[in-house]
Amino acid sequence: MKSVNPYTGDTVFEAETHGQAAIEAALTRAVSAVQKLKAMGMQARLDGLRKAADVLDDERDAIAELMTREMGKPIKQAKAEVEKCAWVCRYYADEAPDMLKPTPIDAPEKGECSLYHLPIGPVFAVMPWNFPFWQVFRFAAPNLAVGNPGLLKHASAVPGSALKIAEVLEKAGFPEGAFQTLLIGSDKTETIITDDRIRGVTLTGSEGAGSAVASLAGKAIKPSVMELGGSDAFIVMPSADIDKAVETAVTARTQNNGQSCIAAKRFIIHKDVYDAFTAKFVHSMKELRVGDPMDENTDIGPLSSKGAADEVHQLVEDTIKGGATVLFEPERKDHAFLTPGVLADIPRGTPGHDSEIFAPVALMFKAEDVDHAIAIANNHPYGLGSSFWSRDKAEIETACTDLDAGSTYVNQMVASDPRLPFGGVKKSGFGRELAREGLLAFTNPKTIAVTGLD
């Protein structure tokens, strides 16, 4: 298994894949780690998370460079990703004790009643390449806090990052088997998911991968969390601060080179401000600096691979051929580059209307009023995040209740945050990560009723 720098085409990292014997050994270690993590006690596990955060801080620049070389994200964003991983470790180290306290239940005829949240055992994670560290740590930190060992099958494009994560947690003092990376292909996942030693499954990835993995987990009767695709709506109403909305919209569309599930992809603009917003937005998109992702001044680096760039470029071309208007044409350049672009008048039945464009290409829609804007936003198979821009309280209330998405951020960009539950609806998946919900996702909510002590 090897990673290839999408900017240069050079091999970054190469290692042997793990065979069945290595998988069996990892499963055995994971089971043993259940008792090891229990014996540590919560305080020692949380101290381990704090130590992991320290390791991430100390090695931030080297880790960021590894991510950038493996999948092409701008180096300044890679550094921010490492810092966010340290944050999620410290967040759970601070908050887990209160979140895991037994909850009293008022049922006096049953004695002293409460609800405990106990670890369930090894959790298997299938993770993507676009945020190589963050996606993993937002799964690993809460599960280690609870006491669940983790097994990681990372994307084949980022094996160096996958092994580095395991090294960070080892340096933090977690026992053998508490967190393990398996360098395996997707053909090995069924064996692991259906193994009785695995007690839960989490995946961040495509709709197709989520459907396959969730089906296996369901057949094996195991809890799962699926964070899948997104084509987030970014709605702008006439009362909004247009300049701030434009500035945020550019960042929301182009973060991580446009390769984010919660990136704003569909810009739904009220007719009264459509022309002004679109003109400013296109101008700002044209000003973005495209180039070497290792350069601190670069805004847009390459996509994750030449194959990914070719595939997304074809989706854009099909949308244009289907009748979309080109306001700023994206260009397929050397290596894995697809430059920023803006399309409008997106016809139904084209990829731009019906699926997800995983690149820095924005799709513009014009709305008659707030109800029409929400109808456009909801007319899509995905429902991950949504951003709504208005100063009208009635419009905001309507958007917060009627947008069919896992979150609505008002007058700000959608962003994952350790303190806020994260996940989607419809084909964007189910379950929640982060916050208390993420901590409890793979626990046994055990009812305790005690009587007869008098």
Side-chain angles (χ1 to χ4, degrees):
M1 187 175 290
K2 70 177 181 179
S3 51
V4 176
N5 187 324
Y7 180 67
T8 65
D10 297 334
T11 297
V12 177
F13 184 90
E14 192 166 5
E16 291 294 323
T17 56
H18 291 125
Q20 192 56 46
I23 293 172
E24 175 61 29
L27 288 166
T28 300
R29 286 191 295 268
V31 171
S32 296
V34 172
Q35 289 304 317
K36 293 176 183 177
L37 288 170
K38 182 178 180 180
M40 284 179 75
M42 182 188 295
Q43 190 55 57
R45 297 196 302 270
L46 302 185
D47 288 344
L49 289 179
R50 291 190 179 91
K51 176 60 177 175
D54 292 341
V55 174
L56 289 165
D57 286 343
D58 292 343
E59 301 186 21
R60 184 199 68 167
D61 290 355
I63 292 171
E65 181 177 341
L66 173 61
M67 281 194 285
T68 294
R69 291 173 63 215
E70 285 201 308
M71 54 72 59
K73 72 170 68 243
I75 188 66
K76 58 188 176 184
Q77 295 179 29
K79 291 177 182 178
E81 181 172 336
V82 181
E83 292 166 1
K84 195 171 185 178
C85 292
W87 179 19
V88 78
C89 288
R90 293 189 176 106
Y91 170 78
Y92 280 114
D94 292 340
E95 302 298 330
D98 281 341
M99 292 178 177
L100 291 172
K101 281 182 180 178
T103 304
I105 300 172
D106 186 15
E109 70 278 12
K110 297 296 182 184
E112 295 183 9
C113 300
S114 54
L115 186 68
Y116 284 42
H117 288 278
L118 304 175
I120 62 171
V123 178
F124 179 52
V126 180
M127 292 290 142
W129 47 262
N130 57 334
F131 291 92
F133 267 63
W134 170 242
Q135 303 281 13
V136 177
F137 270 92
R138 75 185 194 192
F139 135 75
N143 277 285
L144 289 171
V146 168
N148 292 327
L151 275 79
L152 169 67
K153 180 254 178 284
H154 216 326
S156 59
V158 290
S161 294
L163 292 174
K164 184 63 179 178
I165 292 167
E167 179 187 313
V168 168
L169 292 169
E170 182 181 353
K171 287 181 178 180
F174 285 99
E176 182 184 35
F179 183 91
Q180 301 173 80
T181 287
L182 289 170
L183 298 182
I184 56 174
S186 57
D187 59 316
K188 301 293 185 183
T189 57
E190 180 173 357
T191 299
I192 299 172
I193 293 169
T194 57
D195 192 291
D196 288 342
R197 289 167 289 187
I198 292 296
R199 298 293 301 277
V201 182
T202 181
L203 176 141
T204 298
S206 68
E207 176 189 338
S211 177
V213 168
S215 296
L216 290 168
K219 186 176 180 180
I221 317 179
K222 297 179 182 182
S224 62
V225 172
M226 297 289 127
E227 194 269 280
L228 309 179
S231 189
D232 284 9
F234 189 105
I235 298 173
V236 181
M237 302 304 292
S239 64
D241 181 333
I242 300 302
D243 288 338
K244 183 179 179 182
V246 168
E247 179 183 1
T248 305
V250 172
T251 301
R253 174 60 288 213
T254 61
Q255 61 174 331
N256 205 42
N257 304 333
Q259 301 167 120
S260 171
C261 296
I262 53 169
K265 299 181 178 82
R266 296 178 297 141
F267 295 85
I268 303 167
I269 315 301
H270 190 282
K271 63 182 180 180
D272 292 351
V273 291
Y274 180 88
D275 289 343
F277 179 94
T278 301
K280 292 180 178 182
F281 181 74
V282 170
H283 174 77
S284 295
M285 291 284 278
K286 289 180 177 179
E287 294 294 306
L288 294 171
R289 296 178 293 272
V290 179
D292 183 354
M294 289 299 296
D295 186 337
E296 290 277 357
N297 295 315
T298 293
D299 297 310
I300 304 290
L303 299 192
S304 62
S305 68
K306 183 179 182 299
D310 289 339
E311 181 178 345
V312 178
H313 184 239
Q314 187 60 56
L315 296 177
V316 172
E317 289 294 295
D318 290 344
T319 301
I320 295 171
K321 290 175 182 176
T325 300
V326 179
L327 302 182
F328 175 34
E329 186 169 6
E331 297 180 36
R332 177 71 181 88
K333 291 194 171 183
D334 292 341
H335 305 300
F337 279 98
L338 183 64
T339 63
V342 184
L343 307 181
D345 309 313
I346 316 298
R348 293 177 182 269
T350 62
H353 189 282
D354 300 336
S355 58
E356 178 180 24
I357 304 295
F358 220 54
V361 178
L363 309 164
M364 311 301 295
F365 298 80
K366 186 185 294 186
E368 296 293 319
D369 53 32
V370 65
D371 292 330
H372 186 216
I374 292 171
I376 294 171
N378 289 345
N379 183 27
H380 200 280
Y382 292 134
L384 193 51
S386 55
S387 181
F388 187 79
W389 291 73
S390 172
R391 290 170 173 157
D392 185 300
K393 291 184 178 179
E395 288 179 345
I396 292 170
E397 180 62 25
T398 298
C400 289
T401 57
D402 291 1
L403 280 168
D404 199 6
S407 64
T408 296
Y409 285 62
V410 178
N411 297 323
Q412 57 186 308
M413 187 177 86
V414 177
S416 58
D417 181 311
R419 300 164 296 181
L420 303 176
F422 180 83
V425 296
K426 300 190 285 189
K427 291 188 177 180
S428 288
F430 53 82
R432 292 294 180 268
E433 297 179 289
L434 301 176
R436 185 173 187 270
E437 286 75 8
L439 185 73
L440 304 184
F442 294 106
T443 59
N444 170 16
K446 186 175 183 178
T447 300
I448 306 296
V450 179
T451 189
L453 297 180
D454 294 332

